Amino acid sequence: AGRTRTARTRTSRSSHGAGPERTVVVRPGDTLWAIAARTYAGDVREGVWRLEQRNSLASATIVPGQHLVVPGG
């Protein structure tokens, strides 16, 4: 049985009142798709879009050590 890697998260208050937001620290090998799959229960494509929008990303390129805000839902 393989081990599931869990990103470190920190909870903060959303400015939109949609619930708590979390901050995820990107680890080597992480992709927006993988982070969205871990953090959203619904369509992963929507999760990727929400991550891109919330973090004002110009592309899907992320780097280890980068902090991403995961919008609350």
Side-chain angles (χ1 to χ4, degrees):
R3 296 177 71 190
T4 302
R5 185 173 60 183
T6 304
R8 293 180 296 163
T9 61
R10 180 175 45 125
T11 302
S12 62
R13 284 275 164 205
S14 170
S15 60
H16 303 292
E21 293 183 328
R22 294 172 292 177
T23 300
V24 174
V25 179
V26 177
R27 294 184 177 189
D30 272 348
T31 63
L32 283 181
W33 187 270
I35 293 169
R38 286 195 306 262
T39 57
Y40 292 100
D43 187 345
V44 177
R45 293 171 294 182
E46 181 180 344
V48 169
W49 182 83
R50 291 179 69 191
L51 285 167
E52 288 175 331
Q53 295 299 305
R54 177 60 180 90
N55 292 282
S56 302
L57 300 176
S59 73
T61 303
I62 55 176
V63 296
Q66 184 175 354
H67 293 243
L68 296 176
V69 176
V70 178

